[in-house]
Amino acid sequence: MKGSLNPKFILGCFISLAIILFSFNNTPLFDQDEAAYAGFAKNMLETKNWLFPEFIWSDIHRKTPLHFWNIAIFYKIFGVNEFAVRFSSSLFVFFTYVIVYVLGKKLVTKKKAFYASMILATSLLVPVLGKMAVTDGTLLFFSTLCAFSLIFIIKNKSLKWVLIFWLSFSLALLCKGPPIFIFCSLFGILLLIHPSRKNLIILQPWFFLPIAAIPVIMWGYFTIKEDKGELLLWMWDWYVVKRVNSSVLGQTGPPG
């Protein structure tokens, strides 16, 4: 294939990916995580309590609530079924393919960005995240957007990308908590070898980080009013303490 890629060919590829991602998502739930998340969202709708993820035998799967809210929203649209449970995961994984191409071609050639997107879309792990109702598909999208934002900040010192970074960071935090801190910290360390690393100062984490944390802090505040901090203390112990110095479901740390 010579020269630039035909736009119709690119569009056709993304339409094909969308069809693959969103088809056959009505098969029975086969992973305990997605079964728990499906139950959390269903209980939120039934009880009108959008604060607490609760479902029988699913305590160990409780997390920050964005993913469960997404499922509950699509329950409203598509009904309570397997397709609705998986829809948001499929959507965010597909958006990840799209931004790898759309934002990637600002950094490299259109052809290289397209190939990068297609390699990602035909890898072993990422497509699976779009066929299961786990949190990782949503987290991947926001993490990828954070990564691109940091690169564009390094290149252009752009306030627009500072805002996109912190918005993505905030939603990733509301989706799964600490992992976005780990990812952005490691990615930021890699960027410290870049000649334009001083541009990163525009991120001003001492100002923007507290603002980005407001949604998850507000959620935590309202849960504390209801249960006196029981859920948050459990999450700290299960997702941080035990994963660092003990064992979780047979996985030992560090790194947990």
Side-chain angles (χ1 to χ4, degrees), residues 20-120:
I20 293 169
L21 257 181
F22 290 98
S23 61
F24 303 109
N25 282 355
N26 56 348
T27 55
L29 304 178
F30 60 88
D31 179 85
Q32 62 174 310
D33 290 63
E34 64 173 356
Y37 301 160
F40 291 158
K42 185 170 182 289
N43 273 355
M44 285 178 175
L45 282 182
E46 291 177 347
T47 64
K48 309 298 183 186
N49 187 336
W50 293 72
L51 292 175
F52 293 95
E54 294 178 340
F55 189 58
I56 186 171
W57 301 320
S58 300
D59 284 358
I60 62 172
H61 300 292
R62 292 177 294 179
K63 291 180 175 69
T64 46
L66 179 62
H67 183 59
F68 317 138
W69 293 346
N70 288 340
I71 295 173
I73 289 169
F74 286 112
Y75 277 163
K76 287 276 193 179
I77 298 172
F78 299 117
V80 179
N81 54 60
E82 289 86 349
F83 179 82
V85 172
R86 295 174 174 135
F87 189 85
S88 65
S89 293
S90 299
L91 194 65
F92 281 108
V93 167
F94 179 71
F95 284 162
T96 302
Y97 301 157
V98 172
I99 64 170
V100 167
Y101 169 67
V102 172
L103 299 180
K105 67 183 182 180
K106 297 178 183 291
L107 302 171
V108 296
T109 65
K110 182 183 292 187
K111 184 182 288 189
K112 287 180 180 179
F114 175 75
Y115 287 160
S117 180
M118 292 304 106
I119 290 169
L120 185 69

Side-chain angles (χ1 to χ4, degrees), residues 11-252:
L11 179 61
C13 287
F14 279 107
I15 290 174
S16 299
L17 286 174
I19 292 172
I20 293 169
L21 257 181
F22 290 98
S23 61
F24 303 109
N25 282 355
N26 56 348
T27 55
L29 304 178
F30 60 88
D31 179 85
Q32 62 174 310
D33 290 63
E34 64 173 356
Y37 301 160
F40 291 158
K42 185 170 182 289
N43 273 355
M44 285 178 175
L45 282 182
E46 291 177 347
T47 64
K48 309 298 183 186
N49 187 336
W50 293 72
L51 292 175
F52 293 95
E54 294 178 340
F55 189 58
I56 186 171
W57 301 320
S58 300
D59 284 358
I60 62 172
H61 300 292
R62 292 177 294 179
K63 291 180 175 69
T64 46
L66 179 62
H67 183 59
F68 317 138
W69 293 346
N70 288 340
I71 295 173
I73 289 169
F74 286 112
Y75 277 163
K76 287 276 193 179
I77 298 172
F78 299 117
V80 179
N81 54 60
E82 289 86 349
F83 179 82
V85 172
R86 295 174 174 135
F87 189 85
S88 65
S89 293
S90 299
L91 194 65
F92 281 108
V93 167
F94 179 71
F95 284 162
T96 302
Y97 301 157
V98 172
I99 64 170
V100 167
Y101 169 67
V102 172
L103 299 180
K105 67 183 182 180
K106 297 178 183 291
L107 302 171
V108 296
T109 65
K110 182 183 292 187
K111 184 182 288 189
K112 287 180 180 179
F114 175 75
Y115 287 160
S117 180
M118 292 304 106
I119 290 169
L120 185 69
T122 52
S123 62
L124 293 176
L125 175 61
V126 175
V128 174
L129 299 180
K131 307 295 286 184
M132 297 170 60
V134 292
T135 56
D136 302 270
T138 306
L139 181 66
L140 176 66
F141 171 78
F142 290 121
S143 299
T144 304
L145 201 49
C146 282
F148 273 112
S149 299
L150 290 173
I151 293 170
F152 288 126
I153 289 167
I154 279 280
K155 289 176 66 68
N156 304 315
K157 202 175 180 180
S158 168
L159 181 59
K160 176 183 80 172
W161 287 105
V162 169
L163 297 177
I164 292 173
F165 172 83
W166 286 115
L167 176 61
S168 303
F169 186 96
S170 178
L171 292 172
L173 194 59
L174 195 59
C175 176
K176 203 172 181 179
I180 192 62
F181 278 103
I182 299 169
F183 172 76
C184 289
S185 298
L186 294 175
F187 198 81
I189 290 171
L190 288 176
L191 291 178
L192 289 179
I193 63 174
H194 194 281
S196 301
R197 57 186 175 273
K198 289 183 179 179
N199 287 351
L200 291 174
I201 197 68
I202 197 176
L203 283 167
Q204 300 183 51
W206 53 87
F207 175 74
F208 285 110
L209 180 57
I211 295 175
I214 286 175
V216 76
I217 289 173
M218 291 300 296
W219 168 76
Y221 169 75
F222 286 118
T223 64
I224 290 173
K225 289 190 69 174
E226 295 278 343
D227 72 351
K228 303 188 186 314
E230 181 181 332
L231 174 61
L232 295 189
L233 287 173
W234 176 87
M235 292 177 73
W236 171 257
D237 180 61
W238 181 258
Y239 286 110
V240 180
V241 177
K242 286 184 177 177
R243 292 183 185 227
V244 171
N245 64 11
S246 183
S247 172
V248 174
L249 301 179
Q251 302 172 0
T252 58

